[in-house]
Amino acid sequence: MSVQSAIRRKTAPDIRARKRGEPIVMLTSYHAHTAALVDRHCDVILVGDSLGNVMHGFETTVPVTLDMMILQGAAVMRGSKQALVVVDMPFGSYEASREQAFNSAVRIMKETQCGAVKLEGGIRMTETIAFLSGRGIPVMGHIGLTPQSINTLGSFRAQGRSETDWGPIEDDAKAVADAGAFSVVVEAVAEPLARKITETIAIPTIGIGASAACDGQVLVLEDMLGLSPRTPKFVRRYGDLGPAIEAAIEGYAADVRSRAFPGPEHVYDMKKG
Ligand code: KIV
């Protein structure tokens, strides 16, 4: 057996088994290179449709296509070895029917070889989640704030801020778990509600802006690295790479303009050495 094949990738059942266990560490990645870094420290890599905002500068995730997700999902699979890779199903690729969802998910799984897909929505998506899960496609749910619904929600506001609004979100969480999802992202939900959902449902909850009460956490990599122009208030920054990258670019531009840029002799020397 080769060294490579001896490294076993985490699976959806492995993550499902972490309920009330060691917290699940998840980050987004959209490229092979960052995936290799994330892979060393995370249980799950999410190829999120936030790539629409982060990589392409869209205001929302609505314009993201299935082809975009597949291209970046395949890159992340090439860059990673041990984490479970979950690829987001983009807006318009799964909502029309469970058959549409199945066909889109099969393309994602075959063309990227990822281990699971994620889709947004609670009760309204349960038939689809059951259909996919029963046909070999592990599904991660996503409830609370569902960014693909921005045009009906009107804004990216936290959900369930008052206790009177909790009912539908709790119902969504239970429905997604009962339909067979192996875990569920809970986005922008107040701590007491996130805690209640986490204590109630049988699958791991993975919070984003939903407090430490969840079974795991996810952040958008570029947000926590200080690389996104706009970052949600709840994001703790673990780096400030924007200014560091700009300083490097500035140094390069200054070298070029002052003709201090290394010439070909230098490059050939480097190659020999
Ligand atoms: O697309 C994404 O990055 C996500 C996370 C915000 C959970 O869905």
Side-chain angles (χ1 to χ4, degrees):
M1 182 187 283
S2 76
V3 174
Q4 261 182 337
S5 61
I7 299 168
R8 182 183 167 278
R9 241 186 222 281
K10 291 192 176 72
T11 63
D14 293 334
I15 300 304
R16 166 74 182 77
R18 296 271 288 271
K19 181 72 187 174
R20 294 183 235 290
E22 192 195 341
I24 298 158
V25 186
M26 171 161 140
L27 274 175
T28 64
S29 167
Y30 322 118
H31 337 89
H33 173 61
T34 54
L37 301 173
V38 171
D39 189 57
R40 292 187 208 138
H41 305 278
C42 291
D43 303 300
V44 185
I45 305 178
L46 173 65
V47 186
D49 61 355
S50 52
L51 65 79
N53 312 95
V54 175
M55 290 181 65
H56 296 275
F58 292 128
E59 286 292 315
T60 74
T61 53
V62 170
V64 174
T65 66
L66 197 53
D67 287 339
M68 285 158 92
M69 296 309 304
I70 289 172
L71 195 64
Q72 306 317 138
V76 167
M77 282 298 291
R78 284 193 293 274
S80 61
K81 288 186 185 132
Q82 66 80 33
L84 171 67
V85 174
V86 179
V87 176
D88 252 341
M89 300 191 68
F91 179 67
S93 72
Y94 64 95
E95 301 90 330
S97 66
R98 48 195 208 170
E99 287 77 13
Q100 183 209 21
F102 181 76
N103 291 336
S104 300
V106 166
R107 264 201 74 197
I108 292 176
M109 306 271 308
K110 276 185 187 287
E111 294 178 39
T112 70
Q113 303 191 42
C114 70
V117 297
K118 176 166 85 58
L119 55 81
E120 295 184 7
I123 292 178
R124 69 188 164 90
M125 291 315 303
T126 48
E127 248 192 64
T128 298
I129 294 171
F131 193 80
L132 299 191
S133 307
R135 285 164 179 75
I137 301 170
V139 178
M140 178 179 279
H142 185 152
I143 60 158
L145 174 63
T146 48
Q148 291 176 9
S149 304
I150 180 62
N151 289 307
T152 43
L153 291 173
S155 70
F156 294 109
R157 276 156 48 96
Q159 305 293 296
R161 292 206 286 194
S162 123
E163 202 168 336
T164 50
D165 303 329
W166 286 10
I169 303 172
E170 284 181 77
D171 292 346
D172 277 345
K174 284 185 205 133
V176 164
D178 292 348
F182 71 93
S183 62
V184 61
V185 167
V186 180
E187 179 162 357
V189 158
E191 196 266 355
L193 175 55
R195 182 177 299 282
K196 194 167 176 212
I197 289 172
T198 301
E199 283 167 2
T200 312
I201 65 172
I203 59 172
T205 56
I206 302 181
I208 174 159
S211 86
C214 298
D215 296 297
Q217 297 294 327
V218 58
L219 283 178
V220 171
L221 181 67
E222 282 76 359
D223 287 351
M224 60 87 100
L225 291 178
L227 269 177
S228 301
R230 269 176 305 163
T231 313
K233 271 197 233 134
F234 59 80
V235 173
R236 182 187 291 177
R237 283 209 182 170
Y238 291 83
D240 198 10
L241 299 197
I245 291 176
E246 189 161 5
I249 296 169
E250 218 180 328
Y252 162 76
D255 274 0
V256 173
R257 291 198 179 101
S258 66
R259 301 192 189 281
F261 198 65
E265 311 76 27
H266 178 85
V267 175
Y268 295 140
D269 284 354
M270 292 255 300
K271 272 193 183 156
K272 268 189 247 143

XYZ file of all heavy atoms in Angstrom, residues 28 46 48-50 88 118 142 185 187 208 218 220, ligand 1:
106
model
N -13.563 27.145 5.473
C -13.753 27.097 4.021
C -12.395 27.093 3.325
O -11.390 27.534 3.890
C -14.527 28.327 3.492
O -13.749 29.492 3.732
C -15.889 28.448 4.126
N -14.964 23.128 3.933
C -16.168 23.474 3.180
C -15.779 24.288 1.950
O -15.159 25.347 2.072
C -17.118 24.304 4.065
C -18.340 24.867 3.336
C -19.263 23.743 2.847
C -19.110 25.839 4.216
N -17.366 26.474 0.153
C -18.626 27.209 0.309
C -18.936 28.045 -0.920
O -18.031 28.478 -1.640
N -20.241 28.312 -1.098
C -20.586 29.204 -2.211
C -20.242 30.657 -1.870
O -20.397 31.547 -2.704
C -22.042 29.043 -2.643
C -23.029 29.382 -1.547
O -22.606 29.648 -0.408
O -24.248 29.374 -1.834
N -19.708 30.872 -0.653
C -19.146 32.188 -0.324
C -17.977 32.503 -1.260
O -17.505 33.637 -1.289
C -18.684 32.227 1.140
O -17.822 31.141 1.421
N -20.698 23.008 -1.364
C -22.014 23.649 -1.342
C -22.753 23.440 -2.650
O -22.163 23.566 -3.732
C -21.832 25.166 -1.168
C -22.241 25.656 0.199
O -22.981 24.945 0.913
O -21.801 26.764 0.563
N -23.560 20.240 0.771
C -24.331 21.038 1.733
C -25.415 21.790 0.967
O -25.162 22.263 -0.144
C -23.431 22.017 2.489
C -24.198 22.938 3.430
C -23.299 23.656 4.410
C -22.673 24.923 3.886
N -23.611 25.969 3.428
N -28.208 23.358 6.423
C -27.790 24.741 6.728
C -29.068 25.509 7.055
O -29.913 25.714 6.178
C -27.073 25.329 5.511
C -26.496 26.692 5.732
N -25.392 27.158 5.047
C -26.855 27.723 6.550
C -25.096 28.382 5.431
N -25.995 28.754 6.344
N -25.209 23.092 9.583
C -24.657 24.422 9.880
C -25.789 25.281 10.435
O -26.892 25.304 9.880
C -24.065 25.073 8.601
C -23.777 26.562 8.819
C -22.795 24.345 8.182
N -26.472 29.120 11.262
C -25.837 30.423 10.993
C -26.593 31.581 11.637
O -27.823 31.682 11.508
C -25.726 30.651 9.465
C -25.088 31.997 9.144
C -24.549 32.126 7.725
O -24.600 31.145 6.962
O -24.074 33.234 7.391
N -21.860 29.138 12.914
C -21.142 30.290 12.358
C -21.929 31.502 12.858
O -23.094 31.686 12.496
C -20.977 30.240 10.822
C -20.347 31.547 10.308
C -22.248 29.891 10.071
C -19.684 31.446 8.947
N -17.522 26.792 12.101
C -16.993 27.039 10.765
C -16.820 28.545 10.581
O -17.610 29.325 11.110
C -17.912 26.457 9.654
C -19.312 27.011 9.701
C -17.304 26.685 8.264
N -15.352 31.449 7.360
C -14.799 31.648 6.023
C -13.317 32.003 6.212
O -12.982 32.941 6.944
C -15.563 32.769 5.283
C -14.869 33.156 3.981
C -17.012 32.337 5.016
O -20.582 29.359 1.789
C -20.110 29.337 2.927
O -18.961 29.712 3.176
C -20.975 28.853 3.989
C -20.539 29.123 5.384
C -20.838 30.534 5.706
C -21.155 28.178 6.349
O -22.006 28.321 3.741
